[in-house]
Amino acid sequence: AGFHSLFDLVEDKSGFIYASDHKLIRRVTPEGCSSTVKIQDLSESQANSKIQPLALALDQTQNILYFLSGNKVYKLDLNAR
């Protein structure tokens, strides 16, 4: 998969890299395979039109991924994925 416009990267304790890529959050495995992380319960087209992740951060235990979009901070539970 190609990337459009990378803004930020974080790596979790398992070696997965999360990248904010234009209007998506991408997850890259240690082997280099990438997939799109579903944001909330929005369809991909809805998320693409409303959310543009700019900055990423992991909590101390690296189970929660936080991202900044506009003036809001969103939270994704990585254990639920």
Side-chain angles (χ1 to χ4, degrees):
F3 290 88
H4 302 284
S5 180
L6 293 175
F7 290 102
D8 199 8
L9 299 169
V10 293
E11 182 178 2
D12 71 10
K13 60 187 171 190
S14 300
F16 290 96
I17 295 173
Y18 294 88
S20 58
D21 180 27
H22 188 55
K23 295 184 178 184
L24 304 170
I25 294 178
R26 306 294 301 238
R27 177 179 153 171
V28 182
T29 67
E31 295 79 27
C33 298
S34 66
S35 60
T36 301
V37 175
K38 185 175 178 185
I39 299 172
Q40 295 180 339
D41 291 326
L42 303 175
S43 71
E44 190 170 323
S45 62
Q46 289 173 317
N48 285 344
S49 65
K50 295 180 181 179
I51 296 175
Q52 181 163 348
L54 298 174
L56 303 174
L58 288 167
D59 71 338
Q60 190 174 25
T61 60
Q62 297 189 348
N63 295 322
I64 305 293
L65 177 69
Y66 296 93
F67 66 91
L68 174 67
S69 178
N71 61 352
K72 293 183 180 181
V73 174
Y74 295 86
K75 172 172 120 171
L76 295 174
D77 183 349
L78 299 177
N79 291 328
R81 306 204 172 271

